[in-house]
Amino acid sequence: MEIDKAIRECADSRLKTKYSNAISVIKRAFALYSIQEVALSFNGGKDSTVLLHLLRAGYFLHRAEESCSQDVVDGENTFPIRTIYFESASAFPEINSFTYEAAATYNLQMDIIRLDFKSGLEALLKANPIRAIFLGVRIGDPTAVGQEQFSPSSPGWPAFMRVNPILDWSYRDVWAFLLACKVRYCSLYDQGYTSIGSIHDTVPNALLCISDSNNSEEKFKPAYLLPDGRLERAGRAKKQLSSISNGLKFKDLNSDSVLTASVIAVGDEILFGTVEDKLRSFLCRKLHSIGWAVLLLAVTRNDVDSVAEEVERRKSTNDMVFIYGGVGPLHSDVTVAGVAKAFGVRLAPDEEFEEHLRHLIAEKCTGDKNEMAQLPEGITELLHHEQLPVPLIKCGNVIILTATNVAELDLQWDCLIESAKSNGDLVLMAPFVSKSLATTLSDVEIAQPLSKLRLQYPDMNIGGYRGSRKGPLIVRFEGKDPTRIEAASQSLCQNFHSGAFSQIE
């Protein structure tokens, strides 16, 4: 069989291992279900193309074992497995063309469904005795969360077994297989597309763009030249900020609403008083500088459950959660595991993140030996920047910072803001502005005028504090409108004699 032969003869040991594991999953499925009881879900994309050829090889090897012979060659192009294709009006014409060409080339028994995915499956399974469906799902796909290589369908869906032979494959593995086997794939991948959805939300990946000052027409390198597989979905159009994306609810930026954040520090050493945490105040100032309001500062123990409980509470009530501390190889570094538990997903090895770690700490980091290379499955996005040795980790609306001091945090923040301007990972709004007045008046004298101002200016934060018990009282006005801040401060001063307040720069 040409697929099996190509993999056996290639020099890529990683690909051989991935191939062998995938074939084992396929053989196991054939042992559990008859050929009439299984189906392939094919959409013309790179992942399902890999799956098609793995199934061809797996079926060939399964037949060879059943006949107790390794010389089964007749009917290599016979593929009796039912193939499901959901045809959509929003699909690229190239995807449709490639799908039907593949069907003709490999004699696929196609079931063309023009209903939505769920309704189509219900109708298909009602008419056919299908008990298991092979899917080209990989870790990192939105639908991969919580899935294993064999996973029953979700509650509320038709009952069938989801079989995921390439669940642990990376973007690199997919292209290594396609190129090693020299099989055809959709032509869009040679035009810079790296992840193909509908015609409404997919464009070529800008990271593959070939700049040519002499030619205004954009050209792109093929998908297999993308240097970082974690960025394969960079060609998918982002949703509008007024929608919900990755669990982050964005507010209408034209309204007067304010985006909110919580800051969580992880560390027993902070709770013991051994270490003074200077990162919280620094992060609060940075968030205020981009117009975000910080609703809560929290410190939690180095304990997975404690981290998970805090993150779970805050991620549903804030637009963004920033968490730092407890990231590393020690037994007490539980932040990433806590975040995964808060989202109800498992930790899984991440090949791309492992590569970054390997460049940083050499061969001391491997995916199956170092938990630093394991990230929350299916919800992780790596935030890259050329100045960062390791990308920041974003899970839904939670950003995990690895800074241990103010200088490191300053660098990570600057990189986060710079990338936010191009990819929208963090919404930048008008910054908060403030004015501070100092007075020797007592708290009792100033309490009632401040209370009235608070009612008059509900959009503004008005408060007071003292640096020391006998020091002056500092009254602080903070908001988004400098004119209203000035008006509020002048109104307060008019309640008292001239010279009662002095402005603090």
Side-chain angles (χ1 to χ4, degrees):
M1 204 281 171
E2 84 281 5
I3 297 298
D4 189 65
K5 182 175 183 292
I7 298 300
R8 283 190 283 107
E9 292 178 352
C10 81
D12 189 337
S13 59
R14 176 187 172 89
L15 178 59
K16 288 181 177 180
T17 300
K18 295 286 185 178
Y19 171 78
S20 177
N21 292 340
I23 292 298
S24 295
V25 172
I26 292 169
K27 286 181 177 179
R28 183 182 173 197
F30 287 154
L32 293 171
Y33 309 101
S34 69
I35 295 299
Q36 293 73 30
E37 293 176 325
V38 299
L40 159 67
S41 178
F42 188 77
N43 63 11
K46 61 185 184 303
D47 297 339
S48 63
T49 301
V50 168
L51 183 58
L52 167 64
H53 293 291
L54 284 173
L55 281 173
R56 290 180 59 233
Y59 176 67
F60 172 81
L61 295 171
H62 170 69
R63 287 178 56 230
E65 290 180 358
E66 278 193 334
S67 63
C68 300
S69 169
Q70 296 300 317
D71 298 322
V72 177
V73 293
D74 292 335
E76 279 194 17
N77 283 333
T78 300
F79 191 76
I81 299 172
R82 186 179 298 275
T83 303
I84 309 168
Y85 179 54
F86 289 85
E87 190 176 82
S88 169
S90 62
F92 281 87
E94 293 87 345
I95 284 287
N96 281 328
S97 297
F98 172 73
T99 298
Y100 291 117
E101 288 171 9
T105 301
Y106 301 109
N107 299 316
L108 304 184
Q109 299 181 27
M110 297 280 284
D111 282 300
I112 311 298
I113 297 177
R114 295 178 175 86
L115 302 172
D116 65 90
F117 196 81
K118 186 176 181 181
S119 300
L121 277 182
E122 288 175 343
L124 180 67
L125 269 61
K126 185 178 293 186
N128 298 280
I130 295 174
R131 297 176 57 197
I133 299 178
F134 291 99
L135 302 170
V137 173
R138 292 190 288 116
I139 285 178
D141 293 344
T143 58
V145 177
Q147 288 205 51
E148 304 288 343
Q149 290 174 325
F150 287 83
S151 291
S153 55
S154 301
W157 281 70
F160 65 94
M161 182 63 72
R162 293 175 289 188
V163 185
N164 303 308
I166 62 170
L167 188 64
D168 63 341
W169 284 42
S170 69
Y171 183 86
R172 170 210 179 275
D173 297 327
V174 166
W175 281 110
F177 178 89
L178 293 173
L179 296 176
C181 295
K182 299 179 181 179
V183 294
R184 290 191 61 191
Y185 50 81
C186 179
S187 61
L188 289 175
Y189 293 112
D190 286 332
Q191 301 171 33
Y193 290 83
T194 52
S195 177
I196 301 174
S198 78
I199 57 175
H200 305 298
D201 68 2
T202 309
V203 295
N205 195 319
L207 298 168
L208 293 172
C209 185
I210 303 172
S211 59
D212 186 354
S213 57
N214 298 321
N215 193 340
S216 59
E217 183 181 354
E218 286 187 328
K219 294 184 178 180
F220 295 86
K221 292 180 284 188
Y224 54 79
L225 294 181
L226 184 69
D228 188 343
R230 290 295 307 190
L231 301 176
E232 68 172 292
R233 297 180 69 84
R236 294 293 190 98
K238 290 186 178 291
K239 296 180 180 179
Q240 297 297 316
L241 295 180
S242 58
S243 67
I244 295 177
S245 174
N246 279 336
L248 171 56
K249 184 181 291 183
F250 290 105
K251 295 178 173 63
D252 181 359
L253 300 188
N254 294 318
S255 72
D256 294 328
S257 59
V258 176
L259 295 172
T260 62
S262 281
V263 176
I264 303 172
V266 179
D268 291 342
E269 63 278 4
I270 300 175
L271 294 171
F272 290 152
T274 307
V275 172
E276 180 184 357
D277 181 16
K278 298 180 180 180
L279 301 187
R280 287 183 295 170
S281 58
F282 179 88
L283 197 50
C284 286
R285 290 194 297 272
K286 290 296 187 181
L287 283 163
H288 275 74
S289 72
I290 62 168
W292 284 59
V294 180
L295 297 188
L296 176 126
L297 300 175
V299 182
T300 186
R301 296 171 48 219
N302 287 39
D303 174 77
V304 173
D305 290 334
S306 298
V307 173
E309 289 170 8
E310 197 66 53
V311 170
E312 187 171 10
R313 281 196 295 267
R314 306 308 164 196
K315 71 182 179 66
S316 59
T317 56
N318 291 265
D319 295 291
M320 191 73 81
V321 177
F322 294 85
I323 187 168
Y324 59 87
V327 179
L330 302 178
H331 70 281
S332 56
D333 293 325
V334 296
T335 296
V336 175
V339 171
K341 187 170 184 178
F343 281 92
V345 301
R346 66 179 183 180
L347 290 175
D350 188 289
E351 180 194 355
E352 309 298 338
F353 195 63
E354 182 182 338
E355 285 298 317
H356 288 286
L357 291 174
R358 183 171 288 114
H359 286 303
L360 185 66
I361 55 179
E363 294 300 325
K364 295 179 181 178
C365 173
T366 58
D368 55 356
K369 294 182 180 178
N370 194 320
E371 292 187 359
M372 291 174 65
Q374 298 196 28
L375 300 178
E377 175 194 17
I379 62 170
T380 297
E381 178 184 356
L382 296 182
L383 307 182
H384 299 261
H385 193 281
E386 59 184 10
Q387 293 188 38
L388 295 177
V390 175
L392 300 178
I393 302 166
K394 180 173 179 284
C395 301
N397 62 335
V398 178
I399 292 181
I400 302 174
L401 300 165
T402 58
T404 60
N405 56 59
V406 170
E408 291 178 354
L409 182 55
D410 193 19
L411 173 62
Q412 291 182 11
W413 179 264
D414 288 345
C415 294
L416 181 62
I417 294 302
E418 187 175 327
S419 65
K421 292 177 181 178
S422 59
N423 59 28
D425 286 318
L426 190 64
V427 181
L428 307 183
M429 302 182 71
F432 282 95
V433 292
S434 63
K435 183 175 182 178
S436 296
L437 302 176
T439 181
T440 56
L441 295 170
S442 69
D443 295 11
V444 174
E445 291 176 284
I446 205 171
Q448 189 173 4
L450 282 181
S451 295
K452 290 181 178 178
L453 282 177
R454 185 69 185 88
L455 295 174
Q456 186 178 351
Y457 295 94
D459 59 323
M460 195 180 304
N461 179 48
I462 303 174
Y465 66 93
R466 294 180 186 274
S468 65
R469 174 54 57 186
K470 295 184 179 180
L473 175 66
I474 309 299
V475 180
R476 186 174 177 86
F477 303 85
E478 190 169 49
K480 293 292 189 74
D481 190 337
T483 303
R484 288 178 63 79
I485 288 177
E486 185 63 29
S489 64
Q490 289 297 328
S491 179
L492 177 64
C493 293
Q494 290 169 6
N495 285 279
F496 301 93
H497 62 82
S498 176
F501 294 91
S502 60
Q503 184 170 334
I504 299 176
E505 298 296 334

